[in-house]
Amino acid sequence: GAVVSQHPSRVICKSGTSVKIECRSLDFQATTMFWYRQFPKQSLMLMATSNEGSKATYEQGVEKDKFLINHASLTLSTLTVTSAHPEDSSFYICSVLPPSGGAADTQYFGPGTRLTVL
Amino acid sequence: GNSVTQMEGPVTLSEEAFLTINCTYTATGYPSLFWYVQYPGEGLQLLLKATKADDKGSNKGFEATYRKETTSFHLEKGSVQVSDSAVYFCALSRGSARQLTFGSGTQLTVLP
């Protein structure tokens, strides 16, 4: 069964509104979650690393005030796209890292959320 | 910085054909290497991984060997099936935060 869920799977909104995307770890508690963005026919680009109980770490070029990340519990991280514009339309994917050590740990990915901003 | 260069697609093969998808990387230190697969309408799934030089990862008939001398991690399968049609991503894991750097992805279509 699914290890990671995302909600909603698809959202259409008007320009200027804010959209919240939830990522839930279903099988284990996760201190670390990641948020990615995927453009059509392109690769996943890491946006930020979400750490439970602390501020997220954003990749260079990602606006932290526009993409608000909250990792309030060990099973839930949220990404809020504030004042969304058409250029924010994309496929947003989260992943969850099991609570163990080592660079070879497998990340478990959510099914993604398709955001369309009109 | 770290980067992954992956064979561009799309790749179209007939069922039972041999598959190779090339992947090379640039990284400091000794990264772990992964192949992820994304089936239509689904999230990414780990296909296989290797953590050190000369390791071979394998799963579902797919194989890839960590070649440090050529900084490569090519994906191979001896006989593809229609159900293998998907997008394949090569990736490396870096640093203590275990963040993934992905290649551009290769779309594979297998025809019956």
Side-chain angles (χ1 to χ4, degrees):
Chain A
V3 177
V4 182
S5 69
Q6 277 186 245
H7 178 79
S9 59
R10 187 181 298 268
V11 58
I12 301 172
C13 69
K14 293 182 178 180
S15 185
T17 61
S18 294
V19 175
K20 179 184 284 188
I21 301 170
E22 292 185 349
C23 175
R24 292 185 184 275
S25 176
L26 304 177
D27 281 8
F28 49 79
Q29 294 182 327
T31 55
T32 303
M33 296 184 179
F34 301 97
W35 285 96
Y36 296 85
R37 185 173 178 176
Q38 185 180 27
F39 291 101
K41 300 188 185 299
Q42 295 189 29
S43 187
L44 282 75
M45 300 298 295
L46 179 66
M47 298 177 65
T49 301
S50 172
N51 298 296
E52 188 268 339
S54 64
K55 291 183 178 181
T57 303
Y58 290 82
E59 293 298 297
Q60 192 171 9
V62 177
E63 300 176 59
K64 61 181 181 180
D65 294 330
K66 181 167 186 62
F67 298 99
L68 300 179
I69 291 173
N70 187 318
H71 193 156
S73 78
L74 289 172
T75 58
L76 174 65
S77 177
T78 60
L79 168 68
T80 301
V81 184
T82 62
S83 186
H85 291 283
E87 59 266 28
D88 299 324
S89 298
S90 191
F91 196 52
Y92 292 88
I93 303 171
C94 73
S95 71
V96 173
L97 200 57
S100 57
D105 278 352
T106 300
Q107 288 186 25
Y108 294 89
F109 285 81
T113 297
R114 173 74 60 194
L115 170 63
T116 302
V117 184
L118 303 177
Chain B
N2 298 325
S3 66
V4 177
T5 302
Q6 193 174 332
M7 172 180 172
E8 286 194 21
V11 174
T12 302
L13 297 173
S14 297
E15 204 165 24
E16 299 184 2
F18 184 85
L19 169 71
T20 299
I21 301 177
N22 290 336
C23 172
T24 57
Y25 67 91
T26 301
T28 54
Y30 302 92
S32 293
L33 302 174
F34 304 80
W35 277 100
Y36 279 86
V37 57
Q38 186 176 32
Y39 296 103
E42 298 183 18
L44 272 74
Q45 301 172 25
L46 177 68
L47 181 60
L48 53 85
K49 67 181 180 183
T51 60
K52 60 183 186 296
D54 299 325
D55 266 2
K56 177 184 285 187
S58 61
N59 185 26
K60 300 180 181 180
F62 290 89
E63 293 183 341
T65 301
Y66 190 145
R67 300 288 189 196
K68 188 159 180 63
E69 64 275 14
T70 55
T71 61
S72 65
F73 194 55
H74 305 321
L75 182 68
E76 297 182 336
K77 186 173 185 180
S79 177
V80 293
Q81 305 300 312
V82 173
S83 57
D84 294 326
S85 298
V87 181
Y88 292 82
F89 291 93
C90 186
L92 66 82
S93 179
R94 58 187 168 98
S96 58
R98 293 167 281 167
Q99 297 160 329
L100 289 173
T101 299
F102 284 90
S104 56
T106 302
Q107 171 77 56
L108 170 67
T109 301
V110 180
L111 303 175

